[in-house]
Amino acid sequence: MKMVCKVNEGRGWFGKLPLTVGKAYEVIDTVNIRFNKHRPFDYTGTVYKVVDDEGKISSYDDQVLRPLTIEESREEILSDIGI
């Protein structure tokens, strides 16, 4: 599965993220973070692990990455086969 970077501005103290807006990244793994009553304000949901522009494996949520649209997916497939 591939995801596209929506924003590369981090929240809080993260600053600029090592991702390129509009670039597709291959998802290596997904992790589902469950709700914890001891951490009610922490992120709950799916986190996607990708190789960022620095070559490191990093985790990002759906506020940073989005799935490819059908058209983008089609273009990726056609590009891979050389059409």
Side-chain angles (χ1 to χ4, degrees), residues 7-68:
V7 296
N8 65 356
E9 295 296 324
R11 297 174 299 280
W13 58 274
F14 290 110
K16 187 171 175 164
L17 301 173
L19 298 173
T20 303
V21 175
K23 182 177 177 182
Y25 294 90
E26 187 68 38
V27 175
I28 298 170
D29 192 17
T30 59
V31 177
N32 190 21
I33 300 175
R34 295 182 178 182
F35 176 77
N36 185 329
K37 66 180 181 181
H38 301 290
R39 298 178 296 131
F41 302 109
D42 286 353
Y43 178 77
T44 301
T46 304
V47 175
Y48 306 96
K49 290 186 180 183
V50 299
V51 177
D52 62 24
D53 292 343
E54 296 175 347
K56 298 177 184 173
I57 297 175
S58 301
S59 299
Y60 301 101
D61 60 19
D62 57 1
Q63 293 179 353
V64 176
L65 299 172
R66 67 167 175 81
L68 267 67

